[in-house]
């Protein structure tokens, strides 16, 4: 009965079909902030060792690194808070206004990171300012992925939701390529003293320049047609308490977290944490990891949209399970092969295999998440689910894995971590009502 009423209401207020130029502008507006987010996070991970010397000179290399990674993790810890607040804001006032606000917050946090003097200049104020930068970024990023994914999905034609959503992942791949290439050039052309003195700051300052450009593009884009239709149909902004949302959408949230967990763990271990792992555990030059990461970014730019097309054709939920199972099976032998004889060639081969699996697995993720929630609570639902999953299994992964390696002495901890993440993902998606429903009917969507 509810679906019949919803269908009747939708026919009374049909979703307007946007012009091709509006769609292109919406895609660019949606992905540019996500690219800046990932550029900043990846650069921080690549230069974690250098940043630890600049801001956390405690006289103990391990403790200094842990403090740096803990600060990295704090940006993730506050993300669910930002996701709840800004996701609800996007569901009330619209995607366009929220995206414009988010790009300014991200640019400000990136600029603060690039301009903060070192510990030797201003003492304890230096790590505190870095902490502030990470908190501001975490809050803004909390709403970024969800709002941008909602915008892409709501602009996408029927039957192309996964393909359009995959551009969100493509922006991450472009940021991966750009950040790793930037890191590779700096580490190969600057000595250690220059890198610590000023070299590591260059990527952050360049990233901050994207802010004003992104704001201009986002400010000019039209509001999502599905959001406009929903507002006209309801006659007012959506009003739903968090208690009501959790009561009605908790199953969808658990399913969404299951979708993200394995991809987040893989992404952050193979891209953000890998350079530190390569230097400290494998004792290979940083440039080896950065070169492979740059190539991974280049491949992913093409692979993510192809994965989105595949998901639209055969059903994203039918692709999800076999790919995650395959990844759980090969994660250990892949790491063991590299650890047994750490060489640049083996590392590069493993990076390429991980990149292909991750692309197929994660390309459809934005479309899959937005499919779980109705328009009225889409940004809230995606933001809450995405940020909790990424915080626990992505942002905390470098700190968790580094600590476990220190306690166990095993360089294979990352493989065990990925297997655990894959099992949790399979259980959450497979046992949820939402996951089983979408496995049976890949086109099913909830109604407002």
């Amino acid at each position: 009965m509810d679906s019949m009423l919803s269908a009747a209401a939708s026919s009374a207020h049909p979703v307007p079909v946007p012009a091709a130029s509006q769609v292109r502008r919406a895609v660019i507006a949606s992905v540019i902030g996500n690219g800046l987010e990932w550029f900043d996070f990846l650069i921080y991970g690549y230069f974690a060792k250098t940043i630890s010397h600049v801001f956390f000179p405690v006289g103990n290399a391990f403790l200094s690194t842990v403090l740096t990674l803990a600060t990295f993790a704090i940006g993730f810890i506050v993300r669910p808070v930002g996701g709840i607040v800004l996701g609800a804001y996007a569901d009330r006032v619209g995607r366009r206004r929220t995206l414009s606000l988010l790009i300014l917050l991200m640019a400000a946090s990136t600029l603060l990171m690039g301009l903060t003097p070192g510990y030797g200049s201003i003492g304890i104020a230096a790590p505190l300012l870095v902490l502030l930068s990470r908190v501001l970024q975490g809050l803004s990023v909390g709403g970024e992925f969800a709002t941008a994914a909602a915008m892409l999905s709501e602009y996408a034609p029927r039957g192309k939701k996964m393909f359009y959503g995959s551009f969100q992942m493509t922006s991450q791949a472009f940021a991966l390529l750009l950040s790793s290439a930037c890191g590779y050039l700096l580490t190969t052309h600057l000595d250690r003293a220059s890198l610590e003195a000023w070299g590591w700051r260059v990527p952050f300052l360049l990233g901050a320049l994207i802010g004003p450009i992104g704001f201009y593009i986002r400010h000019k884009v039209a509001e999502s047609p599905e959001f406009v239709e929903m507002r006209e149909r309801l006659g007012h902004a959506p009003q739903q308490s968090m208690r009501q949302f959790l009561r009605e959408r908790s199953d969808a949230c658990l399913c969404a977290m299951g979708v993200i967990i394995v991809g987040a763990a893989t992404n952050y271990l193979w891209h953000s944490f890998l350079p530190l792992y390569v230097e400290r555990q494998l004792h290979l030059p940083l440039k080896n990891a950065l070169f492979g990461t740059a190539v991974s970014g280049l491949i992913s730019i093409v692979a993510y949209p192809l994965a989105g097309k595949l998901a639209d054709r055969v059903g994203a939920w039918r692709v999800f399970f076999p790919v995650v199972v395959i990844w759980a099976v090969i994660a250990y032998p892949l790491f063991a092969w590299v650890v047994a004889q750490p060489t640049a060639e083996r590392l590069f081969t493993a990076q390429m295999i991980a990149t292909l699996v991750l692309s197929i697995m994660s390309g459809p993720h934005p479309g899959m998440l937005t499919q779980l929630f109705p328009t009225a609570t889409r940004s809230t639902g995606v933001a809450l689910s995405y940020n909790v999953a990424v915080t626990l299994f992505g942002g905390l992964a470098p700190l968790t894995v580094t600590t476990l390696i220190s306690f166990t002495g095993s360089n294979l901890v990352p493989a065990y971590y990925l297997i655990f993440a894959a099992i949790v993902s399979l259980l959450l998606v497979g046992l949820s009502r939402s996951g089983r429903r979408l496995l049976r009917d890949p086109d099913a969507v909830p109604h407002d």
Side-chain angles (χ1 to χ4, degrees), residues 4 49 130 263 288 388 425:
M4 292 174 63
K49 188 175 179 180
V130 171
N288 290 151
V388 169
S425 281

Side-chain angles (χ1 to χ4, degrees), residues 15 71 137 144 161 214 247 255 257 274 278 287 347 361 365:
V15 177
T71 305
Q137 189 190 46
E144 171 62 34
K161 299 289 187 181
R247 184 172 63 250
C255 181
M257 284 189 276
L274 186 67
V278 164
K287 64 181 181 181
L347 176 65
M361 184 166 55
H365 278 177

Side-chain angles (χ1 to χ4, degrees), residues 149-161:
M151 177 74 96
L152 284 170
S153 174
E154 291 166 5
Y155 260 99
R158 183 175 177 82
K160 294 186 177 180
K161 299 289 187 181

